[in-house]
Amino acid sequence: MAEEAVKFKVTIDGIPVDVDPGTTILNAARLIGGDIVPPAMCYYSTLQGSGGKCRTCLVKVAKGSEKDPRPMPKLVASCRTTVMDGMEVENISSTEVLETRKSIVEFLLINHPLDCPVCDQAGECKLQDLSYEHGSDVTRYEFERRTFERIDIGDKIQLHMNRCIMCFRCVFVAEQLTTKREHGILNRGDHAEISTYIHQALDHDFIGNVIDVCPVGALTDKTFRFKNRVWFTKPVDAHRDCPTCAGKVTLWYKGDEVLRVTGRKDEYGEVAEFICNTCRFDKKHTSDWVLEQPTPVEAESVIAANHYRAFHLPAVIQENKKLQEANAEQLARTERLK
């Protein structure tokens, strides 16, 4: 007779859930879902070693376990702390957690520029969401902010270090998805930065995924840069028979034109299956793909303002010349921002 699997019961903000031993508090909260899920800017479930960098997921453990009910003396990173049987956790129900999260957001915004109006990540940026929910309308920082020059790391990717929050996701992608890693963390403390060795190009076939995992606008797709605001586009799930990757992507349309291609992301902004550079940068015609359905979009997202539920297949052969000319004109107007 097979032994019954052992489950730990953990309570988060008064809601109980049974999880497997070794589950982190963050993933236990994700099983419950809703507002009690702590935000996470650096944790990425498919990347080994991620988490514990941004501290936005801090929670309060009010009861350690049934065997040792003492509370933990300090707030803990939920993405790095595993549950114990009988543990009780407070997230949005704790004033201490909310005040600390507000301080962490203020810290993340110390050097982050207020350039959302010209940032391609606007509308998809988790730091924007955190700033709206927990940020302050003024800053107490009085010193000169650190600034960097933009760096082209390859012909398709641009690095804007001014926006970087040092989450390390892109470094883990390059280290775990590619055969070599040519970029990483240089220097220490407030001088630390993501960079390449003497500005080498990142040319591996999966390196484009650093764009998808970046939670802010530090790493951007140069083929989409300044072409359009994301809330004016319509995302559609599609796939193709790709010999290199799974070929499951999201196509971002404006009219009949595919402006960009990204990996499919779940509700927590994580890509389920990483895609190759060929799918991302070279396949931008409807005829290259088999269209499936409109990508599900949360009602709270700005993308939902221009979204749709009925699925109308874009034309494969017919081109909208007028729209393409308008897009080219709009790109020319923003060229000076590069």
Side-chain angles (χ1 to χ4, degrees):
M1 183 177 178
E3 295 184 4
E4 185 177 354
V6 177
K7 292 282 187 179
F8 285 173
K9 176 170 285 188
V10 58
T11 303
I12 305 176
D13 287 338
I15 302 176
V17 61
D18 294 330
V19 299
D20 296 326
T23 303
T24 62
I25 296 175
L26 176 61
N27 285 326
R30 287 182 174 183
L31 291 177
I32 300 174
D35 294 336
I36 72 166
V37 180
M41 297 288 289
C42 64
Y43 175 75
Y44 216 82
S45 59
T46 55
L47 297 176
Q48 297 179 5
S50 66
K53 311 293 191 305
C54 70
R55 319 306 289 179
T56 58
C57 69
L58 291 179
V59 295
K60 181 179 180 179
V61 177
K63 178 181 178 181
S65 65
E66 288 292 348
K67 294 182 179 180
D68 186 359
R70 292 177 298 174
M72 291 189 178
K74 296 181 180 180
L75 302 184
V76 299
S78 61
C79 65
R80 285 287 195 174
T81 306
T82 55
V83 302
M84 298 296 291
D85 192 24
M87 178 179 283
E88 294 181 6
V89 179
E90 296 178 4
N91 180 28
I92 59 175
S93 60
S94 169
T95 304
E96 181 183 2
V97 170
L98 296 180
E99 286 298 317
T100 302
R101 193 162 291 158
K102 182 178 180 180
S103 300
I104 291 171
V105 172
E106 183 180 13
F107 177 77
L108 291 176
L109 292 173
I110 281 179
N111 289 300
H112 196 86
L114 186 62
D115 62 351
C116 300
V118 297
C119 179
D120 281 323
Q121 193 79 2
E124 300 175 299
C125 182
K126 297 302 179 183
L127 190 55
Q128 273 188 322
D129 297 338
L130 280 175
S131 301
Y132 180 77
E133 295 171 4
H134 305 285
S136 175
D137 57 352
V138 294
T139 179
R140 296 179 291 175
Y141 194 70
E142 299 177 351
F143 303 96
E144 184 179 354
R145 299 188 177 198
R146 65 176 194 167
T147 57
F148 301 87
E149 294 294 329
R150 297 187 185 97
I151 301 173
D152 290 335
I153 43 180
D155 61 336
K156 300 289 198 305
I157 305 173
Q158 184 171 99
L159 172 63
H160 198 172
M161 262 305 299
N162 291 348
R163 302 169 180 165
C164 180
I165 62 169
M166 304 298 290
C167 71
F168 293 76
R169 282 181 177 181
C170 62
V171 178
F172 290 131
V173 165
E175 192 169 43
Q176 297 171 25
L177 295 186
T178 68
T179 55
K180 59 180 179 178
R181 176 164 65 86
E182 295 173 335
H183 83 301
I185 310 297
L186 304 183
N187 305 318
R188 295 183 178 182
D190 64 344
H191 294 287
E193 62 175 299
I194 303 288
S195 187
T196 59
Y197 181 67
I198 319 183
H199 296 182
Q200 291 189 32
L202 304 183
D203 57 359
H204 192 275
D205 197 34
F206 277 82
I207 202 62
N209 291 286
V210 299
I211 300 170
D212 280 345
V213 302
C214 183
V216 292
L219 288 161
T220 52
D221 180 355
K222 290 173 64 178
T223 66
F224 178 67
R225 190 172 175 81
F226 297 126
K227 279 193 173 181
N228 222 287
R229 309 306 289 178
V230 68
W231 52 84
F232 292 140
T233 63
K234 298 181 185 295
V236 175
D237 286 347
H239 68 271
R240 64 182 286 264
D241 186 12
C242 179
T244 308
C245 67
K248 297 179 181 179
V249 303
T250 297
L251 306 180
W252 297 80
Y253 277 97
K254 185 174 184 182
D256 299 334
E257 186 178 2
V258 179
L259 297 184
R260 69 168 176 164
V261 181
T262 65
R264 294 189 194 179
K265 296 183 179 182
D266 60 17
E267 59 183 314
Y268 303 112
E270 297 184 7
V271 176
E273 296 179 274
F274 293 110
I275 63 174
C276 65
N277 288 358
T278 301
C279 289
R280 182 183 303 276
F281 300 121
D282 300 333
K283 302 297 181 180
K284 292 191 175 181
H285 297 91
T286 301
S287 56
D288 296 326
W289 300 93
V290 178
L291 305 185
E292 299 175 7
Q293 62 178 359
T295 303
V297 178
E298 294 182 0
E300 295 80 8
S301 172
V302 294
I303 305 174
N306 199 41
H307 203 40
Y308 55 94
R309 296 186 181 277
F311 189 36
H312 303 291
L313 292 176
V316 174
I317 299 176
Q318 183 180 1
E319 295 183 350
N320 191 333
K321 294 294 184 182
K322 185 176 181 181
L323 179 62
Q324 292 178 1
E325 290 174 1
N327 288 344
E329 182 181 350
Q330 182 179 3
L331 178 61
R333 288 199 303 268
T334 57
E335 194 72 21
R336 60 183 177 83
L337 298 175
K338 292 187 177 181

